Amino acid sequence: MSAESSGPQVQPSGGPRELLVDGVRVFHQTGPSKTRAVLFFGVGLQDESFETIGLTHLVEHLAMAQLPKTHLDANASVTVNHTAFYAHGRPDDVGAFLRRVCEALADLPLDHLAREKDVVAAEAGVGADLTTAAAWTARYGFAGAGLVATPGYGPLVHTEADVVSHLAAHFTAGRAALGVLGPLPEGLALPLPPGGLTTGPAPGTVSETAGAPAAVQAPRRFPRPRLGDGPEYVEGAPSPGVALLLDGFDPDDQAVRVAHTLLCERLEDLEREHQALVFSVVSETVDGPDGDVFTLAVDGPEEQAGDVARLVWEQLGDLAANGPTQAELDDVLQAYADQVDPTDDDVRESEPFRLAAETAIAVAAGRPGATPLARIAAGVAATTREDVRERLATAARRALLVLPGEASLPESAQRVAPIAERPWCPQAPELPPGRRLRPKLHRRLLGSCADRTLVLGVDSIAQQDEDGTVHAVRWDEVVGVVEVEGGPGVAVIGPDTCHVWVHPHSYGKAAHAEVLERLAPHAERMRRAVAGRR
Ligand SMILES: [Zn+2]
Ligand SMILES: [Zn+2]
C-alpha cells in the first residue's frame, strides 16, 4: 500500500473522478448501466436550535413535494450532520430528478408549507440511538447534536421566513456534494444558489413568496461542550443504556478510527465470553467544536447498567494504560484493510458516496474535504499499539460516562482511574438575588404542589428544589418555554437543560404572567406550538 495521497482531482487506481458542476463538487464512478446518485448537503439537526428543530426536515419535504409523480426510485433523509437526496434509475431520469431538486431548493414554493408541517410532525425526528442522544445532550445541552434528545417546539411553529432563512444559509452549491455511480446523466445540471457558509440570506436567493425578513438567528454549528477538570460520569440520565463519549479527536488521524473500533470489539468480545452479560454496542462519530466526537452506546438490562458502566470504564482504562494486544490490533487492521481495498467491488461502488458525504460534512465544518481512500488505508495500516494507547489515554482525560435511570457507578470503578460525578444539569451554588416566591402554606401542607422556591432575578430566573438544589437560567440564555401537562404551568428551559417550573397555582398569576412577558418571543412560539397541536 502506498502512503502517497492523491491530488484533489484524481483518485488512484480507477477510483472516482472529481468534477465541478454548477459549483457543486461531483464524485463520479463508472459502473452498471443504471445510475445511482446521492446529492448531499452539509446541513442537519446540528445546524438547528431548540427553536428551529425540524426546519431542515421541513425543507427536505418541501423540495420533494415539488417533484412530479414518477416511477424513479427516489428518496431523501435528514441526519444530525447532513441531508441527502437519493435516486436510482435510468441516467436521464436521475438527471431530471437532480435538476428538479436543485430548482426547488433554489426557489422553494411554500404553498404546501402547512401540509408538510403536519407530515413532518407526524414522523419521528432524526433517527438516532437514544442512548447516544442522551450522551450528546449531557455534553452539549440543547444545542448541536444534543438537540436529538428533544422535540423542541416541533415543526408546526415554523414560518415561511424561518424556512427561507434556513434554506439560504445552508442549501447552497458550496454546501453540496454529489456522488454518482454508473453513467453520468447527460447535460447534468445542479442549478443551486452559489455561496458557501453564509449565515444570512444571500442576494437573489430569497423566495418571492417569503414574508418578513428572517426571524431566526443562525444557529452555532458547534456548541460549547460542558467539560469538567477531568473524566466525569452522570447518573440518572434520560437514557435507556450506558454511553461513553470521547471527543477532541483530529478528524484526519487514522489511528483514531482504529482505537474506536478496537474499544467496541473489546466490549463485544467480553459480552460473548460472559454468560451473565447481555448487551449490544453501537457507536457513532460526529464532528464537534474541537474535533470528532465518538460515542459508544451500550444497551442492555437496566439492572446491569452500573456493572456495564464500570466494565466500559475498566476497558478504556486498560487500553489507555497498556494498549491492545497485538492479536486484537491485527484483527482490526485486517478488517479495515478490507474496507479500504480499492480493488474490492463494494468499496469501489460506495466510494463516490463516501467522498460526497464526507466532503459536504467537512466543508460545512470549515475543512477542505474528504480524506482520500489511499491516505486512510496508509494511516490505518501504520497504526501501532502505542498509537491506540496514546489516543485513548488522551481522550480518557475528558471522557464522559452516562448512566441511565436508577443505575449507579460502582465504587470499584474509581480504582481504574478517578472519575468525578457531575449532575445531569448544572446546579448553582446558591439562589441569585431577586424576588423570591414560594407556594402558599396550605398548598405546601396539603402537598398539592412541590415545595420549591422561585426567584425572578435581574439577570436570571432560578428555582430551589425540595432537596435544596438550585437551578438557574440567565434570561438571555433561555432556549425555550414549554407548556407542562396541558398548561397553564410552563417550564423555562436553559441551554444546559435546566428546567425552571412556573405555575400560577404555585406562585400566583402575576408572576406567571411576568415570566411569559419577559420571555415573550419564546412564549409566542409556545402558544403557536400548542395551537398547532390542538
Ligand atoms: Zn420525512
Ligand atoms: Zn440545572
Side-chain angles (χ1 to χ4, degrees), residues 476-490:
D476 58 4
E477 289 183 352
V478 168
V479 297
V481 177
V482 298
E483 206 181 64
V484 178
E485 289 165 4
V490 299

Side-chain angles (χ1 to χ4, degrees), residues 66-358:
Q66 291 310 307
L67 306 181
K69 285 263 173 292
T70 131
H71 295 296
L72 188 69
D73 173 15
N75 211 336
S77 68
V78 177
T79 72
V80 169
N81 57 9
H82 71 266
T83 299
F85 295 89
Y86 315 80
H88 181 221
R90 287 177 36 225
D92 285 356
D93 293 340
V94 172
F97 167 83
L98 292 169
R99 182 174 45 75
R100 288 199 181 103
V101 166
C102 293
E103 283 169 354
L105 291 170
D107 186 10
L108 196 64
L110 297 171
D111 28 330
H112 298 314
L113 182 59
R115 190 186 69 195
E116 294 304 329
K117 284 202 285 194
D118 286 338
V119 176
V120 170
E123 286 181 7
V126 169
D129 176 78
L130 293 174
T131 301
T132 304
W136 287 337
T137 304
R139 189 58 122 198
Y140 298 110
F142 286 143
L147 291 170
V148 176
T150 173
Y153 291 109
L156 298 176
V157 300
H158 302 323
T159 64
E160 291 192 357
D162 296 338
V163 173
V164 168
S165 161
H166 195 64
L167 196 57
H170 301 294
F171 286 87
T172 59
R175 281 287 274 268
L178 175 69
V180 179
L181 176 69
L184 196 67
E186 210 161 303
L188 177 66
L190 304 167
L192 288 164
L197 287 169
T198 53
T199 49
T205 60
V206 176
S207 164
E208 303 281 89
T209 51
V216 180
Q217 279 190 321
R220 290 168 300 164
R221 183 164 174 90
F222 296 126
R224 166 189 61 86
R226 259 182 88 194
L227 292 175
D229 296 330
E232 292 187 320
Y233 70 97
V234 183
E235 292 177 349
S239 154
V242 172
L244 172 71
L245 185 148
L246 301 173
D247 55 5
F249 294 108
D250 175 357
D252 213 23
D253 178 2
Q254 310 313 322
V256 164
R257 300 177 191 241
V258 178
H260 295 167
T261 308
L262 225 144
L263 182 57
C264 292
E265 298 273 322
R266 171 74 73 94
L267 290 168
E268 282 169 348
D269 286 350
L270 284 169
E271 197 260 356
R272 273 191 292 272
E273 286 164 18
H274 292 84
Q275 292 275 308
L277 287 173
V278 184
F279 57 74
S280 62
V281 180
V282 295
S283 68
E284 190 158 346
T285 300
V286 292
D287 40 357
D290 50 2
D292 279 354
V293 182
F294 170 76
T295 311
L296 187 146
V298 188
D299 287 312
E302 184 164 339
E303 62 273 16
Q304 287 188 359
D307 289 334
V308 166
R310 185 193 55 201
L311 184 75
V312 169
W313 186 236
E314 276 171 0
Q315 294 309 316
L316 176 63
D318 179 60
L319 287 168
N322 308 313
T325 66
Q326 191 61 48
E328 277 179 303
L329 181 65
D330 289 345
D331 267 0
V332 171
L333 294 191
Q334 184 53 53
Y336 256 104
D338 295 341
Q339 282 173 38
V340 293
D341 174 3
T343 64
D344 181 278
D345 278 351
D346 289 344
V347 173
R348 203 180 148 276
E349 297 195 349
S350 61
E351 188 57 3
F353 308 112
R354 180 191 73 84
L355 286 169
E358 288 189 11

Side-chain angles (χ1 to χ4, degrees), residues 424-514:
W424 168 255
C425 74
Q427 294 172 4
E430 58 187 7
L431 280 169
R435 226 166 77 237
R436 294 190 179 199
L437 298 150
R438 285 185 75 192
K440 289 203 172 63
L441 182 63
H442 73 273
R443 285 192 181 275
R444 280 183 268 144
L445 293 178
L446 285 169
S448 69
C449 63
D451 186 6
R452 299 186 180 119
T453 303
L454 175 72
V455 173
L456 303 181
V458 178
D459 297 324
S460 55
I461 179 170
Q463 164 184 307
Q464 184 161 45
D465 290 339
E466 282 168 284
D467 64 2
T469 57
V470 175
H471 303 271
V473 180
R474 287 182 57 88
W475 292 109
D476 58 4
E477 289 183 352
V478 168
V479 297
V481 177
V482 298
E483 206 181 64
V484 178
E485 289 165 4
V490 299
V492 174
I493 302 172
D496 290 324
T497 78
C498 288
H499 283 53
V500 175
W501 311 94
V502 183
H503 202 292
H505 292 172
S506 302
Y507 307 115
K509 283 184 181 159
H512 179 255
E514 183 184 328

Side-chain angles (χ1 to χ4, degrees), residues 407-425:
S408 55
L409 186 67
E411 191 53 37
S412 56
Q414 300 293 339
R415 287 203 293 273
V416 177
I419 180 167
E421 183 175 9
R422 73 150 222 229
W424 168 255
C425 74

